[in-house]
Amino acid sequence: MPDKKAINDAVVRWALTIVLGVSAYLFWSIGYPHAMGYQEQFQLFLFDYSYFAERIAVPGGLGTYVAEFLTQFYNSPAIGALVIALVYVLMQRMTWMLAKRNLRDGDNTWLAYIASFVPSLMIWWQMGDESTMLAYPVSLAFMLASMLMLPRGKVGRICYTVVALPLMYWIAGPLVLLLGVYVGVAFAKESERRLSGLFALAACVVYAVACILVSALIVPYPLERLFAGIFYYRFIEILSYMLAVIAIVVLLLSTISITAKVKKPKVVWGIAAAAVACLAAVFIPKAYDEQKYDLVEYDWLVRQQRWNDVIAKSERKQPTLPMSVCATNLALGMTGQLGDRSFDFFQNGAEGLLPEFERNFSTTLLTGEVYFMLGLVNTSQRYAFEAMESLPNYNKSGRAIKRLAETNLINGQYKVARKYLTMLQKTIYYRKWAEKRLEMIDNPRLIDEHNVYGYLRKVRLEDDFLFSDKELDKMLGQLLMRNKDNMMAMQYLLVYPLLNRDFPTFMGYYGYVQSLKNYTPSACVEAVALAYAQQNKLPQKEIQRYRLSNTWKYLLGN
């Protein structure tokens, strides 16, 4: 007969594991889908032999290949969150299986089981740093699996060690040091003599270190990077010490026996479980900086062209940073509300319309979206290329490649567009999109009929030239001269001098716009009223009425 107590314990343990998985799934799918979108856009996983060969040619490449394969599913928040939740659950279960090996018959196993959640929770916390790559937990899972596969018997373990350490180093990177220590500890525990046990432990560690040292002779990476991991962190020149701490915790849980004798074990372990859960609930959200992830969400919404959602987000909480203000103004412009509602939101000068160029892979993409929607297609193309080339881990960007394909389609550079679209054909999520654009190359009439590409072909500036950040209003004027129906350029041209509180320039632009089209948005009407009031040409009654408007408050510096 099965032990009823053992069955009940197993059910409770699995219930706790399921709670971990469900909590992680809800956290990522509902709370941080934009964080997954941020990670996915800075890679381009290709089903291509060259891509696979490029990855496995360096230490940790196979683990990274698997991680990037999984990361592409972040395109779907539901599937992406499931992937992350399963990684956490898998790590917890394997940590528990390793910890259980250290328990003796009759030991209370609950403390060890509760402790097995710690590595997963620490990784959950660490992923609040947006530069932490999924390659780290995936590689760690590979290493835990290799530790579980350690055979019994001295000869079997020696053979396994000789083969597994260099192999796992090439699969998962410098986390192989965990396997080296784990195997060494296993030899030491079974050794009859303490000195020979210490020698076995030292030999295993030295062998693991030797694998890393030898690899430095054949791969073009500095030694410190090989010890820190090539793919674990986005910025290859930065060493994240927290990743090392997590690895040490995993090693301790795998090698040290966690037992305790108490009078009321269920009460004590229940309190311990509640304490771990409370600490996780308090500290994990704090790792996800609110201001940083607000910007990530703005960019994510802009990428999906969810303009009304951008405006709704800004209505709930006023944007205060240049990029969030930029996203809000872009959404207002795309919905035709910029001239009416621009001063309903916080503004930080003209930079909130068109931020200055920064060699930054995240903000450059958002700024490029503005130029694209205005019709400055060539500038948008340069920004997409600069963003991709500034990625610190030298990845390609799916989002940037898509934009480069679009700009070349619009400009009629079909050979270049085909090159990018052929790359996107080798993906899961971009394949159908790319195939539709390839049909456009074969039939350019489809480009002219496209609601976005056809429109941008009509309003774009065809000359490829550079311009000063101080003369952006002149570029907006040229866009409007090119096509008077370019409402985005019209809105931006009128709001630009207002954000600089430049009344003479605004009045000149306003007069020009009126000569083209009867366009009188409320913010511009109020600005004209202020200009007349400053010349004493507006009745006092009207002045008192307008003084309460958001436009006057901004223009008067209140």
Side-chain angles (χ1 to χ4, degrees), residues 163-179:
V163 175
L165 284 178
L167 178 63
M168 291 309 300
Y169 171 57
W170 216 257
I171 290 174
L175 285 172
V176 73
L177 294 171
L178 272 67
L179 179 60

Side-chain angles (χ1 to χ4, degrees), residues 156-283:
R157 285 183 174 178
I158 292 175
C159 295
Y160 181 82
T161 303
V162 172
V163 175
L165 284 178
L167 178 63
M168 291 309 300
Y169 171 57
W170 216 257
I171 290 174
L175 285 172
V176 73
L177 294 171
L178 272 67
L179 179 60
V181 175
Y182 181 79
V183 173
V185 170
F187 277 120
K189 285 182 177 179
E190 294 185 359
S191 176
E192 296 179 356
R193 299 179 181 179
R194 184 176 181 182
L195 186 60
S196 60
L198 292 175
F199 176 79
L201 173 60
C204 291
V205 174
V206 169
Y207 185 38
V209 172
C211 292
I212 301 175
L213 294 175
V214 171
S215 71
L217 302 175
I218 57 177
V219 294
Y221 287 94
L223 189 59
E224 63 271 15
R225 191 69 249 168
L226 293 175
F227 273 97
I230 301 172
F231 302 108
Y232 298 160
Y233 201 74
R234 193 186 312 278
F235 290 87
I236 61 175
E237 74 279 4
I238 296 177
L239 302 179
S240 177
Y241 295 103
M242 191 60 193
L243 300 183
V245 171
I246 294 172
I248 292 171
V249 170
V250 169
L251 183 61
L252 291 175
L253 292 175
S254 303
T255 55
I256 296 177
S257 179
I258 302 177
T259 59
K261 298 295 183 181
V262 292
K263 293 182 178 179
K264 297 181 178 179
K266 291 186 178 180
V267 174
V268 174
W269 311 146
I271 293 173
V276 170
C278 289
L279 289 172
V282 170
F283 285 103

Side-chain angles (χ1 to χ4, degrees), residues 74 89 293 385 473 481 512:
Y74 289 2
V89 167
Y293 281 97
F385 190 79
D473 54 335
M481 291 171 63
Y512 173 68

Side-chain angles (χ1 to χ4, degrees), residues 3 13 30 32 45 52 60 84-85 88 108 153 155 189 203 231 241 264 274 280 382 413 415 418 467 495 558:
D3 187 343
R13 289 175 191 144
I30 298 176
Y32 288 88
F45 182 89
F52 175 72
I84 297 176
Y88 293 166
N108 193 305
V155 175
K189 285 182 177 179
F231 302 108
Y241 295 103
K264 297 181 178 179
R382 283 194 290 269
Q413 301 293 330
K415 288 185 178 180
R418 187 182 294 277
F467 51 86
V495 173
N558 296 334

Side-chain angles (χ1 to χ4, degrees), residues 2-253:
D3 187 343
K4 186 176 181 180
K5 181 179 181 302
I7 294 175
N8 290 337
D9 286 350
V11 170
V12 173
R13 289 175 191 144
W14 271 108
L16 292 175
T17 299
I18 292 171
V19 168
L20 170 67
V22 172
S23 299
Y25 179 82
L26 295 176
F27 179 89
W28 288 101
S29 63
I30 298 176
Y32 288 88
H34 46 284
M36 292 188 289
Y38 176 89
Q39 296 293 343
E40 184 278 331
Q41 69 181 349
F42 295 129
Q43 71 161 47
L44 183 66
F45 182 89
L46 302 176
F47 286 96
D48 178 77
Y49 175 75
S50 297
Y51 184 83
F52 175 72
E54 179 183 326
R55 283 291 178 266
I56 64 169
V58 291
L62 184 59
T64 301
Y65 184 83
V66 172
E68 290 179 345
F69 170 81
L70 296 174
T71 299
Q72 69 181 325
F73 293 102
Y74 289 2
N75 264 299
S76 169
I79 300 177
L82 181 62
V83 166
I84 297 176
L86 289 176
V87 169
Y88 293 166
V89 167
L90 183 63
M91 286 193 56
Q92 182 269 321
R93 292 300 297 182
M94 288 195 293
T95 303
W96 157 241
M97 292 169 70
L98 286 168
K100 187 165 61 172
R101 289 183 174 183
N102 298 315
L103 300 175
R104 299 178 300 271
D105 292 339
D107 282 341
N108 193 305
T109 61
W110 278 103
L111 183 58
Y113 193 77
I114 294 168
S116 70
F117 285 83
V118 173
S120 295
L121 295 175
M122 291 179 72
I123 287 176
W124 190 346
W125 179 89
Q126 174 63 22
M127 288 177 72
D129 181 346
E130 75 284 0
S131 295
T132 301
M133 310 300 288
L134 187 64
Y136 180 79
V138 169
S139 297
L140 189 54
F142 269 115
M143 205 53 60
L144 289 170
S146 68
M147 292 158 71
L148 285 170
M149 292 169 61
L150 181 67
R152 297 182 180 276
K154 187 175 182 180
V155 175
R157 285 183 174 178
I158 292 175
C159 295
Y160 181 82
T161 303
V162 172
V163 175
L165 284 178
L167 178 63
M168 291 309 300
Y169 171 57
W170 216 257
I171 290 174
L175 285 172
V176 73
L177 294 171
L178 272 67
L179 179 60
V181 175
Y182 181 79
V183 173
V185 170
F187 277 120
K189 285 182 177 179
E190 294 185 359
S191 176
E192 296 179 356
R193 299 179 181 179
R194 184 176 181 182
L195 186 60
S196 60
L198 292 175
F199 176 79
L201 173 60
C204 291
V205 174
V206 169
Y207 185 38
V209 172
C211 292
I212 301 175
L213 294 175
V214 171
S215 71
L217 302 175
I218 57 177
V219 294
Y221 287 94
L223 189 59
E224 63 271 15
R225 191 69 249 168
L226 293 175
F227 273 97
I230 301 172
F231 302 108
Y232 298 160
Y233 201 74
R234 193 186 312 278
F235 290 87
I236 61 175
E237 74 279 4
I238 296 177
L239 302 179
S240 177
Y241 295 103
M242 191 60 193
L243 300 183
V245 171
I246 294 172
I248 292 171
V249 170
V250 169
L251 183 61
L252 291 175
L253 292 175

Side-chain angles (χ1 to χ4, degrees), residues 473-487:
D473 54 335
K474 305 296 190 299
M475 299 305 303
L476 296 170
Q478 288 196 39
L479 283 168
L480 194 55
M481 291 171 63
R482 160 80 174 171
N483 191 311
K484 67 178 182 180
D485 293 324
N486 189 339
M487 286 302 297

Side-chain angles (χ1 to χ4, degrees), residues 209-373:
V209 172
C211 292
I212 301 175
L213 294 175
V214 171
S215 71
L217 302 175
I218 57 177
V219 294
Y221 287 94
L223 189 59
E224 63 271 15
R225 191 69 249 168
L226 293 175
F227 273 97
I230 301 172
F231 302 108
Y232 298 160
Y233 201 74
R234 193 186 312 278
F235 290 87
I236 61 175
E237 74 279 4
I238 296 177
L239 302 179
S240 177
Y241 295 103
M242 191 60 193
L243 300 183
V245 171
I246 294 172
I248 292 171
V249 170
V250 169
L251 183 61
L252 291 175
L253 292 175
S254 303
T255 55
I256 296 177
S257 179
I258 302 177
T259 59
K261 298 295 183 181
V262 292
K263 293 182 178 179
K264 297 181 178 179
K266 291 186 178 180
V267 174
V268 174
W269 311 146
I271 293 173
V276 170
C278 289
L279 289 172
V282 170
F283 285 103
I284 287 177
K286 290 183 181 297
Y288 293 75
D289 182 79
E290 182 179 357
Q291 190 176 70
K292 180 194 300 179
Y293 281 97
D294 262 351
L295 291 178
V296 170
E297 185 174 11
Y298 272 113
D299 184 51
W300 182 65
L301 294 173
V302 166
R303 181 188 179 189
Q304 296 181 321
Q305 299 186 11
R306 292 165 54 183
W307 309 121
N308 290 326
D309 289 338
V310 173
I311 296 171
K313 178 176 174 61
S314 299
E315 288 173 338
R316 290 192 299 271
K317 180 181 178 182
Q318 283 284 337
T320 56
L321 298 176
M323 299 315 296
S324 57
V325 174
C326 172
T328 303
N329 286 331
L330 174 59
L332 291 172
M334 291 301 295
T335 54
Q337 303 179 65
L338 184 62
D340 293 303
R341 299 195 60 197
S342 52
F343 297 102
D344 290 349
F345 303 94
F346 173 82
Q347 297 290 348
N348 62 327
E351 192 175 339
L353 282 180
L354 292 164
E356 293 184 3
F357 173 77
E358 295 180 1
R359 192 172 178 80
N360 183 303
F361 59 92
S362 55
T363 60
T364 303
L365 283 172
L366 178 54
T367 308
E369 294 283 353
V370 183
Y371 285 112
F372 186 75
M373 297 304 177

